[in-house]
């Protein structure tokens, strides 16, 4: 049996990676602050809160879709079905996109630029170390059907 067919990851790294990135952004914001203009703090707070609401809604929608299709929710589990409906019509990684949007929202609320920097780093690391393995897993499990899905739907947005 193909190694990627069994399961994509040995540990659910992406959620851990994003939590570490958020904690690092908070720590760096205190240790190495980057000054930001505070002219309309309520506007950035409102935009950040709206983004966090979008991110949480996207994550819940994606989780609900995966559960309804009776397939793996955690990234280190074997997928039993290729899910291409719900938020997966818009992006192949709606949960990770939700995590990223949440970091941007937190950056706007706290006016901490480290959230933007570390969100970019989290996207790069998640793509390199998790998404590519997940895609190999899905390709080995679903073949042409997954290739067709990849051509029709972007990885992030």
């Amino acid at each position: 049996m193909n190694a990627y067919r069994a399961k994509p990851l040995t540990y659910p790294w992406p959620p851990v990676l994003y939590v570490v990135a958020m904690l690092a952004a908070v720590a760096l914001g205190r240790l190495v602050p980057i000054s930001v203009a505070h002219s309309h703090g309520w506007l950035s707070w409102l935009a950040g809160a709206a983004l966090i609401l979008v991110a949480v809604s996207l994550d819940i929608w994606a989780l609900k879709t995966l559960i309804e299709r009776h397939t793996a929710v955690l990234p280190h589990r074997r997928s039993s079905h290729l899910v291409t409906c719900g938020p997966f019509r818009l992006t192949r990684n709606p949960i990770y996109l939700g995590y990223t949007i949440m970091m941007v929202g937190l950056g706007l609320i706290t006016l901490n630029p480290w959230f933007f920097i570390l969100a970019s780093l989290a996207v790069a690391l998640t793509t390199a170390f998790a998404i590519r393995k997940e895609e190999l897993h899905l390709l080995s499990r679903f073949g042409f059907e997954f290739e067709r899905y990849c051509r029709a739907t972007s990885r992030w947005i």
Side-chain angles (χ1 to χ4, degrees), residues 9-62:
L9 301 172
T10 56
Y11 186 78
W13 290 112
V16 172
L17 177 68
Y18 275 92
V19 167
V20 168
M22 287 180 198
L23 294 174
V26 171
L28 286 168
R30 292 175 190 244
L31 297 173
V32 188
I34 300 172
S35 65
V36 178
H38 297 280
S39 61
H40 296 290
W42 65 272
L43 191 59
S44 66
W45 190 94
L46 193 61
L51 284 176
I52 290 172
L53 182 63
V54 166
V56 170
S57 299
L58 181 62
D59 281 347
I60 290 171
W61 186 21

Side-chain angles (χ1 to χ4, degrees), residues 31-96:
L31 297 173
V32 188
I34 300 172
S35 65
V36 178
H38 297 280
S39 61
H40 296 290
W42 65 272
L43 191 59
S44 66
W45 190 94
L46 193 61
L51 284 176
I52 290 172
L53 182 63
V54 166
V56 170
S57 299
L58 181 62
D59 281 347
I60 290 171
W61 186 21
L63 292 172
K64 182 178 179 288
T65 303
L66 291 172
I67 291 167
E68 287 173 349
R69 300 300 181 268
H70 305 288
T71 194
V73 172
L74 295 174
H76 69 294
R77 304 278 188 197
R78 182 179 155 276
S79 295
S80 56
H81 297 87
L82 180 62
V83 178
T84 60
C85 59
F88 295 92
R89 287 176 305 185
L90 311 171
T91 174
R92 295 195 313 252
N93 298 289
I95 295 172
Y96 303 154

Side-chain angles (χ1 to χ4, degrees), residues 84 88-92 144-155 157:
T84 60
F88 295 92
R89 287 176 305 185
L90 311 171
T91 174
R92 295 195 313 252
F144 177 72
E145 189 178 353
F146 179 68
E147 288 177 351
R148 185 174 21 169
Y149 173 60
C150 288
R151 282 194 297 275
T153 310
S154 67
R155 181 180 281 158
I157 48 175

